[in-house]
Amino acid sequence: MAKLTTIRVDAEKEVKGVWTKWEHGVELLIARLNNPLFQLKVRELTVSHTKEIRLGTFDGMEEVSRVAVASTVLLGWKSIEDDDGKEFKYSAEHSLELLSDPGLQDLYQFVLTQSNERDQYLVALEKDSRGN
């Protein structure tokens, strides 16, 4: 049997994110995909396209998703420098820049994959709930 704490997700982690290691020592702060802020951002970006969406003629959902992920899912990073060796500070604009770069498609896919990993957003890790 599962204790409730082992199956309950932490709503704060879902929105504020959790730090996740990527490549080359880079750490990313990733919120859960489809969190309330993500949903709100998608609605905000699509409200003027409601008719097209209903008719199935709107072809901008990939861009809407990318913008929403950049501002509400990828929330920060550590250890990223520009090509001149200067710290590349997080901003929603910089996030969108990275997630839109065809050469960094793996980063976008990593963020999407990690943001769907339910286990990292749990209230307590299973070992913690057993008292270990």
Side-chain angles (χ1 to χ4, degrees):
M1 289 206 170
K3 292 182 180 179
L4 287 176
T5 55
T6 64
I7 58 176
R8 185 174 286 132
V9 294
D10 184 329
E12 186 172 333
K13 285 181 184 177
E14 288 184 311
V15 173
K16 292 186 177 181
V18 294
W19 286 101
T20 305
K21 292 184 187 299
W22 189 44
E23 299 175 356
H24 305 286
V26 171
E27 292 184 56
L28 305 169
L29 182 59
I30 302 175
R32 194 163 186 198
L33 189 66
N34 221 14
N35 71 63
L37 295 177
F38 175 85
Q39 292 176 23
L40 183 64
K41 186 67 171 180
V42 168
R43 280 194 299 274
E44 173 188 307
L45 294 169
T46 58
V47 70
S48 63
H49 302 284
T50 303
K51 185 176 180 182
E52 295 166 88
I53 292 168
R54 286 189 184 142
L55 293 172
T57 60
F58 182 63
D59 61 358
M61 280 311 292
E62 179 62 34
E63 182 61 21
V64 165
S65 294
R66 195 176 302 270
V67 170
V69 167
S71 62
T72 66
V73 176
L74 180 55
L75 303 177
W77 55 64
K78 296 176 185 173
S79 302
I80 295 181
E81 298 176 343
D82 66 17
D83 291 333
D84 295 325
K86 296 178 185 167
E87 179 183 7
F88 193 67
K89 293 186 179 191
Y90 174 83
S91 69
E93 293 80 18
H94 283 161
S95 180
L96 182 58
E97 180 182 332
L98 294 183
L99 297 181
S100 299
D101 184 332
L104 293 172
Q105 185 62 26
D106 288 346
L107 171 62
Y108 184 54
Q109 291 304 317
F110 179 82
V111 170
L112 291 177
T113 299
Q114 291 303 307
S115 66
N116 274 305
E117 289 293 327
R118 181 181 179 278
D119 289 352
Q120 65 184 359
Y121 303 102
L122 294 174
V123 170
L125 297 175
E126 187 173 343
K127 67 179 183 175
D128 294 337
S129 67
R130 292 190 309 236
N132 293 332

